[in-house]
């Protein structure tokens, strides 16, 4: 049987995965923002790695007009430099998570959440020009933020919105880069992951299964539910989480 804390984790991952299925983004922001107020940030990120990895992989490779191999080759061949920069940035970001006081990382996470909420609430999207220098800088910065806070999407979307108008491409390429961010986290945090007790590994397996199930539900609901209403609810949740995470960061520095 699950205790209250484990049931709460299942609920958090279910909501995040449902949002991810409907909109193509959301699982890392919702889960990391929630778990960072319950656990040390590094442990919160470790708990999210495998569920997020599975969802990012599925969103990148499954669905659309192409086969799994077709999605893999098409998007990787066209956006390989962005993917590479995201991977390198993520490796630096995870190292940052290990080197820097977690209070500063919590404040960074709160700032990224605040930026995401404000830009969505105001309906304003910051779009960067689709040039190679901008691609390199954006990929690195997005990777660093993603590796340390799990919030890569807020920065990465600025470039993708400037490079294409196709929502499917934005979701596919975004999840390809998020996936590589998870690979970077696994590489750097592998010893901590291997050292987890069996109970935590079992919990992660259950969270991953739950995430996949609710991702599929979200994909099915995509055509029936109002994305606007669902996004408004998630923005409200993220606002509360951002305030709580930011307060934790401030308290940690006092």
């Amino acid at each position: 049987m699950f205790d209250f804390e484990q049931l709460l984790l299942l609920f958090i991952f279910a909501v995040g995965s449902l949002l991810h299925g409907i909109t193509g983004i959301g699982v890392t922001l919702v889960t990391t923002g929630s778990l960072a107020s319950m656990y040390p940030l590094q442990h919160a990120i470790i708990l999210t790695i495998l569920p997020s990895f599975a969802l990012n992989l599925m969103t990148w490779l499954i669905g659309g007009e192409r086969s799994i191999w077709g999605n893999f080759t098409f998007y990787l061949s066209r956006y390989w430099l962005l993917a590479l920069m995201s991977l390198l940035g993520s490796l630096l970001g995870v190292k940052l998570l290990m080197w820097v006081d977690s209070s500063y990382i919590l404040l960074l996470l709160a700032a990224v959440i605040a930026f995401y909420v404000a830009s969505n609430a105001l309906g304003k999207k910051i779009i960067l020009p689709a040039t190679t220098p901008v691609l390199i800088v954006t990929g690195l910065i997005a990777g660093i933020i993603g590796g340390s806070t799990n919030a890569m999407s807020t920065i990465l979307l600025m470039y993708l919105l400037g490079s294409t108008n196709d929502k499917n491409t934005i979701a596919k390429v975004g999840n390809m880069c998020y996936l590589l961010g998870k690979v970077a986290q696994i590489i750097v945090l592998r010893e901590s992951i291997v050292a987890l007790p069996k109970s935590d590994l079992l919990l992660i397996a259950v969270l991953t299964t739950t995430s996949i199930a609710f991702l599929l539900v979200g994909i099915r609901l995509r055509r029936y539910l109002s994305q606007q209403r669902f996004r408004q609810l998630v923005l409200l949740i993220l606002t509360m989480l951002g305030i709580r995470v930011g307060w934790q960061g401030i308290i940690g520095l006092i």
Side-chain angles (χ1 to χ4, degrees):
M1 292 293 293
F2 296 108
D3 58 27
F4 175 77
E5 183 176 296
Q6 291 170 334
L7 289 174
L8 180 59
L9 288 177
L10 287 171
F11 175 76
I12 290 169
F13 276 83
V15 171
S17 301
L18 194 66
L19 172 66
H20 203 89
I22 294 173
T23 66
I25 59 173
V27 66
T28 51
L29 275 178
V30 173
T31 55
T32 307
S34 301
L35 270 61
S37 62
M38 300 166 58
Y39 306 104
L41 184 58
Q42 183 172 324
H43 186 65
I45 287 180
I46 287 174
L47 289 176
T48 66
I49 288 178
L50 291 182
S52 299
F53 182 95
L55 266 61
N56 296 150
L57 182 65
M58 292 178 65
T59 307
W60 171 25
L61 297 181
I62 297 176
E65 300 177 353
R66 300 176 182 85
S67 63
I68 292 177
W69 178 249
N71 281 329
F72 176 83
T73 55
F74 181 82
Y75 295 107
L76 189 60
S77 65
R78 284 162 176 76
Y79 290 90
W80 67 269
L81 183 56
L82 181 63
L84 177 61
M85 292 300 103
S86 299
L87 175 60
L88 295 177
S90 294
L91 289 170
L92 293 174
V94 187
K95 289 292 186 180
L96 185 68
L97 176 64
M98 301 174 69
W99 292 335
V100 178
D101 188 326
S102 62
S103 297
Y104 293 105
I105 305 297
L106 287 173
L107 290 175
L108 176 61
L109 175 59
V112 173
I113 291 175
F115 173 80
Y116 179 85
V117 170
S119 60
N120 277 268
L122 296 174
K124 296 181 179 180
K125 297 178 179 179
I126 300 177
I127 300 175
L128 298 175
T131 63
T132 299
V134 170
L135 180 152
I136 292 173
V137 172
T138 303
L140 281 173
I141 294 176
I144 291 171
I145 293 176
S148 58
T149 69
N150 263 354
M152 183 188 294
S153 61
T154 52
I155 305 300
L156 197 62
L157 286 175
M158 294 182 199
Y159 173 80
L160 291 175
L161 287 169
S163 65
T164 178
N165 293 319
D166 181 35
K167 293 181 179 180
N168 188 59
T169 297
I170 292 173
K172 295 288 186 184
V173 175
N175 277 273
M176 176 181 67
C177 294
Y178 309 153
L179 177 70
L180 292 174
K182 300 299 121 187
V183 171
Q185 289 176 337
I186 291 172
I187 292 172
V188 177
L189 299 173
R190 61 188 180 281
E191 292 183 3
S192 299
I193 296 172
V194 172
L196 288 173
K198 289 184 179 180
S199 58
D200 281 356
L201 293 175
L202 178 60
L203 176 62
I204 290 174
V206 174
L207 292 175
T208 302
T209 303
T210 301
S211 298
I212 292 173
F214 277 87
L215 172 74
L216 296 175
V217 172
I219 292 173
R220 283 188 170 273
L221 291 178
R222 186 181 298 170
R223 68 184 69 178
Y224 303 112
L225 293 182
S226 168
Q227 290 194 28
Q228 182 178 2
R229 294 296 183 188
F230 202 83
R231 277 179 175 272
Q232 288 173 347
L233 175 60
V234 172
L235 291 178
L236 176 61
I237 294 172
L238 285 174
T239 299
M240 295 186 291
L241 291 174
I243 292 172
R244 184 171 180 178
V245 168
W247 179 249
Q248 282 183 294
I250 293 173
I251 293 298
L253 294 177
I254 295 177

